Amino acid sequence: MKNYLSIHDLPSIKETVAEAISLKKNPLQFQDLGKNKTIGLLFFNNSLRTRLSTQKAALNLGMEPIVMNFGSEGWQLEFEDGTLMDQGKSEHIKEAAQVISQYCDVIAIRAFAGLQDKGKDEAEEVLESFKKYATVPILNMESSVGHPLQALADAITIEEHKPAKEKIKVVLSWAPHPRALPHAVGNSFAEMVLAHEDDFDFVIAHPEGYELDPNKTKGAQIEYDQKKAFEGADFIYTKNWSSYKDYGKVACKDSSWIITADKMALTDRAKFMHCLPVRRNVVVADEVLDSDTSIVIEQANNRTFSAQIVLKKIMENM
Ligand code: SN0
């Protein structure tokens, strides 16, 4: 694998999950693989889990991480070709990406959706420009449209917690949030579950008008009645996203979509999942997050092994 930009870059999600679970038992077994190699982590947005778990994954593989808050500390980058750079932007991506490639063997990038211009977000300007001009592999740490390291950690977590049943029911439920949030986590989670469609029944529950990009959710069952969606579920994965149709807008703040113990009681003893950070008592009630149905901490722990198996595959190909 050269780059990891989407979950579809993995040769096989199932095999990768099995490899990650095996790696988790002995995380230091490939310390020589990353020896004398450097990974640069560039953040255009905030981070806790991604920033620490990706560094931890690199360290477990013997790699040296270097981190830069590009959004606040780097030069403002120009991405357009042929522009007259006499305004606020100091450096062109052409030089920046090539220069960073001199110092780093892998470049990892976080650049969220701006949520103003759908076309611009879908073109993945930051990620695609780094891919175009860098001379080393690129790792997506959440871009405009996807968060594939999170989706792989979610797949690992589901594999570890799934009950012994032929078909597992997975529900991705929208929940309210005061701010407009990106679609990346929901998109990548849907792509990951749909890639396992033989094993999972997949329902996406949200208020009308909150459909995700239909290209990412083809094959999923859409349900506007949240309680109906929860019936018999084995996993409730909750995430807010802003409207995709009325792009980037908060069209609904209906607090009745919060995840409560009453709703969890409709499921088949489902586990509660969320990528974090989560707004307590807005997205999910304390009673759920503090109960043992919640597996959010284990999910966060699996971010390390998700990043580690991906970095291992990238370095094996270098
Ligand atoms: C980000 C998102 O894509 O939704 C990152 C999730 C991994 N989440 C937020 O920006 C939440 C911010 C907030 O104010 O709650």
Side-chain angles (χ1 to χ4, degrees):
M1 188 170 68
K2 177 156 190 331
N3 301 304
Y4 187 58
L5 305 183
S6 118
I7 191 101
H8 299 300
D9 288 330
L10 293 174
S12 153
I13 303 178
K14 262 192 186 176
E15 275 171 32
T16 308
V17 166
E19 287 165 23
I21 290 172
S22 152
L23 189 63
K24 189 174 173 179
K25 295 191 185 111
N26 186 3
L28 302 181
Q29 65 185 305
F30 300 107
Q31 279 264 317
D32 287 344
L33 194 59
K35 207 171 164 217
N36 301 326
K37 289 199 171 63
T38 302
I39 179 170
L41 275 59
L42 311 182
F43 288 92
F44 290 85
N45 308 94
N46 296 349
S47 174
L48 187 160
R49 279 146 292 275
T50 300
R51 179 165 174 158
L52 298 185
S53 66
T54 311
Q55 289 188 71
K56 177 75 179 174
L59 291 168
N60 281 350
L61 290 166
M63 255 185 138
E64 287 291 335
I66 48 183
V67 185
M68 182 166 177
N69 292 321
F70 218 97
S72 54
E73 294 162 1
W75 300 109
Q76 273 228 41
L77 292 182
E78 175 61 65
F79 290 91
E80 299 282 327
D81 227 356
T83 38
L84 177 72
M85 286 174 58
D86 64 350
Q87 299 293 315
K89 295 180 179 165
S90 313
E91 176 151 28
H92 202 281
I93 181 67
K94 284 188 191 176
E95 286 76 48
Q98 291 181 78
V99 167
I100 298 164
S101 303
Q102 309 305 305
Y103 313 140
C104 302
D105 300 283
V106 178
I107 303 176
I109 298 154
R110 163 161 287 196
F112 286 177
L115 296 177
Q116 304 293 324
D117 179 336
K118 187 189 271 189
K120 210 170 163 185
D121 284 347
E122 291 189 337
E124 293 274 37
E125 188 178 58
V126 180
L127 204 63
E128 287 298 324
S129 303
F130 269 100
K131 186 180 152 196
K132 185 169 174 191
Y133 296 116
T135 54
V136 299
I138 302 295
L139 176 61
N140 180 353
M141 297 194 295
E142 188 173 340
S143 65
S144 295
V145 303
H147 195 356
L149 285 172
Q150 180 67 52
L152 179 56
D154 299 336
I156 297 168
T157 312
I158 289 177
E159 181 61 29
E160 289 177 327
H161 289 272
K162 70 178 189 201
K165 275 186 184 175
E166 207 165 302
K167 274 261 181 180
I168 306 292
K169 182 171 176 184
V170 177
V171 178
L172 168 63
S173 178
W174 182 91
H177 197 285
R179 294 179 50 210
L181 296 190
H183 308 95
V185 171
N187 284 343
S188 291
F189 183 75
E191 288 181 292
M192 178 279 289
V193 176
L194 288 164
H196 286 82
E197 58 188 333
D198 296 344
D199 307 324
F200 299 139
D201 276 331
F202 184 38
V203 180
I204 309 180
H206 53 69
E208 270 190 80
Y210 265 91
E211 286 73 13
L212 288 164
D213 176 356
N215 292 317
K216 307 279 182 201
T217 60
K218 215 172 284 156
Q221 203 183 311
I222 307 295
E223 181 56 73
Y224 301 134
D225 180 340
Q226 192 187 33
K227 289 187 177 159
K228 199 169 155 213
F230 275 40
E231 281 166 20
D234 299 297
F235 292 92
I236 300 295
Y237 193 103
T238 303
K239 182 70 186 81
N240 170 271
W241 56 85
S242 55
S243 174
Y244 178 73
K245 206 166 70 181
D246 190 8
Y247 191 69
K249 298 287 182 303
V250 178
C252 166
K253 284 189 181 175
D254 184 354
S255 60
S256 74
W257 277 77
I258 185 178
I259 313 302
T260 58
D262 281 355
K263 286 180 199 167
M264 291 301 289
L266 301 170
T267 68
D268 190 2
R269 288 172 294 153
K271 298 293 184 194
F272 174 81
M273 298 177 74
H274 190 285
C275 62
L276 305 179
V278 71
R279 304 273 188 136
R280 281 178 174 260
N281 303 312
V282 176
V283 170
V284 55
D286 284 343
E287 63 196 17
V288 175
L289 202 54
D290 293 331
S291 74
D292 53 16
T293 64
S294 170
I295 53 173
V296 297
I297 305 302
E298 192 49 42
Q299 208 183 328
N301 182 35
N302 282 333
R303 292 295 309 277
T304 298
F305 308 104
S306 153
Q308 199 174 329
I309 198 70
V310 165
L311 285 175
K312 177 173 177 280
K313 285 186 187 293
I314 289 175
M315 285 195 288
E316 282 168 347
N317 183 57
M318 269 159 61

